Amino acid sequence: MSMNVNIAQSILEKLKDHSAPIIKYDANELTGQAFFAKVESRQTYFCQRLSKLTKCLVFTGRGLDYWVDLLALMAGGHIAIPIPYSIENLTLQTIISIANPDAQVGCPERLLSEVTNLTDIETMSVSSQEPKVFATQAATTAAIIFTSGSTGRPKGAELSHQSLLGNCQATTAVLELKPTDRLFMSTPFQFVSAISHFLVSLNSLACFVCDETKRMQADLVGRIKEEKANCFGGAPLQLRWLCEAIEEGGLHLDWVMSSGDHLNPDIIARLKKINPHININVVYGMTELGGRFCILPNAKIDGLEHTVGKPLIGFHVRVVDEENQTLTANEIGEVQVSGDFVLKSYFNDPENSAASFVGEWFRTGDVGRFNEQGYLEILGRRDDVFKVAGQKVSAVLISDVLQSLDIFQDVFVTVKEHPIIGNVPVAMYTRKGSEPAPKKGAIISKMVGLLPQNHIPFEFIEVADIPRTGSGKVIRKAIVEICA
């Protein structure tokens, strides 16, 4: 890892003499030099007003200004706390009560009443003291990134400069983005996935074309074409949409990356069939790990489409049983991670921090297995692997088969308790276009021979929408309400 432990300063050092476009939002496109100048100016602005190390809420919804402020705060040694502009009042109050921030920047007018006790940096006067940049070390906190709260109360992952910089450098080395590439991303800016895209793109000197508007299929395809992007990073559902557009001849991409949730191997096969030269990368990451920690690069993807690859440099991964004993190849258990880039703790949350670690090992909450070659396969969250008729069933494998039938727009499989049979798999789906709803018998007949009998869903539930976060992960507490 670079001796310069400040993630922002490390990125900015690469940009100060870079004359090609490096970032674009709507009509605003900046070269590396211009972006460097904006961040440097903003860093000076903060240094003239903040006389002590500050935890600062940084609101999205401001285009490039958000990314400028995020880097400027971290470059000055302050702690950035990304906050979505669309956040609900109650959730913001919860985050403030946990993080106890000192200041805020970019707060939307509708939320100003919630941050009256915080310093508004924009209204501060210049300090009479000498402007101060706070020294950073590898273990110094760079950001507190809150999980989406899809299963409950938000938790703030405390990430060090070492975590973000090491993750960025290790990911950059594997993904092979080029300075001539234009990477389009349509993910809410506060997510670690978006921040990782941003850092890796800039570190690769590729142009980062960002968009935080929630877009449906046709709109997303249109925006990518307008921006002349040749690369895309996003959620598996978005990749499915783009695959259909590529098949219809309406879009061309040289490079794609899936993150946020499981990518169906069927999509990989379809993309490779249309364009054998497309560079497909599957990544597995978490907020608590500073971004990515397993990558299946395009060079290794053939024959390994069901896996998420191998751990990045800086991470160690193991699969364990209920007694935390390490399992061997093909044995299913909980995925745990250790290494230099794992979160320091959940900020101001000792209970969750203690429950999430076994010694130095972080408990991801995911279930998986290694194959004989050391590639990791993720079978879902703990609730996604359950027993039916005494044998383990993976909701992810069922979902893969259902998606491969190409009769649904979106699918999610969960478990439901039947009063007589016990646990049974249940599939929720959204209908594809204006096509009539498929009959249960017709769906099952297509699945016969593709899955064991105990994997066949007991029930198929049509829903208007499968609730997902902006990074593509299913909002499980909403699923529970649907199944109730």
Side-chain angles (χ1 to χ4, degrees), residues 119-260:
T119 298
D120 183 349
I121 297 179
E122 303 292 10
T123 61
M124 290 182 70
S125 58
V126 176
S127 172
S128 58
Q129 300 179 10
E130 187 73 20
K132 186 174 183 181
V133 176
F134 292 87
T136 56
Q137 298 176 342
T140 304
T141 302
I144 301 171
I145 302 180
F146 278 82
T147 60
S148 59
S150 60
T151 58
R153 192 170 187 257
K155 295 180 291 187
E158 189 177 359
L159 299 174
S160 67
H161 282 270
Q162 175 176 258
S163 176
L164 290 174
L165 178 57
N167 197 300
C168 172
Q169 291 178 341
T171 303
T172 299
V174 178
L175 289 182
E176 298 180 338
L177 280 168
K178 303 183 297 295
T180 53
D181 287 331
R182 292 175 65 84
L183 171 66
F184 187 91
M185 181 208 76
S186 181
T187 300
F189 292 175
Q190 77 276 6
F191 285 115
V192 76
S193 178
I195 294 170
S196 181
H197 278 308
F198 166 70
L199 295 175
V200 171
S201 293
L202 270 59
N203 197 47
S204 305
L205 297 181
C207 185
F208 177 65
V209 184
C210 53
D211 178 42
E212 61 180 332
T213 302
K214 185 175 181 178
R215 298 188 183 278
M216 300 309 290
Q217 185 172 6
D219 199 18
L220 178 64
V221 172
R223 287 287 295 120
I224 294 171
K225 292 170 70 175
E226 287 172 15
E227 296 292 354
K228 296 181 173 59
N230 68 316
C231 303
F232 177 83
L237 181 60
Q238 294 174 318
L239 263 291
R240 175 172 289 277
W241 293 346
L242 300 187
C243 178
E244 293 173 359
I246 293 170
E247 287 175 328
E248 293 168 2
L251 182 66
H252 174 82
L253 290 170
D254 300 315
W255 184 103
V256 296
M257 189 182 85
S258 172
S259 62

Side-chain angles (χ1 to χ4, degrees), residues 42-94:
R42 195 66 167 162
Q43 181 186 347
T44 300
Y45 182 92
F46 292 148
C47 289
Q48 291 173 334
R49 289 159 175 79
L50 301 174
S51 59
K52 66 183 182 72
L53 190 150
T54 301
K55 296 196 299 290
C56 183
L57 304 182
V58 188
F59 286 86
T60 69
R62 299 180 292 128
L64 296 185
D65 288 343
Y66 163 77
W67 297 114
V68 169
D69 285 351
L70 188 72
L71 278 191
L73 283 165
M74 291 194 294
H78 300 287
I79 300 171
I81 307 174
I83 302 291
Y85 67 95
S86 58
I87 194 170
E88 296 178 353
N89 295 44
L90 183 59
T91 305
L92 179 58
Q93 290 173 14
T94 301

Side-chain angles (χ1 to χ4, degrees), residues 312-333:
L312 288 168
I313 293 174
F315 289 109
H316 305 286
V317 180
R318 69 178 185 178
V319 176
V320 301
D321 61 16
E322 289 82 359
E323 283 75 43
N324 281 304
Q325 297 301 306
T326 302
L327 299 173
T328 57
N330 296 315
E331 292 186 302
I332 297 173

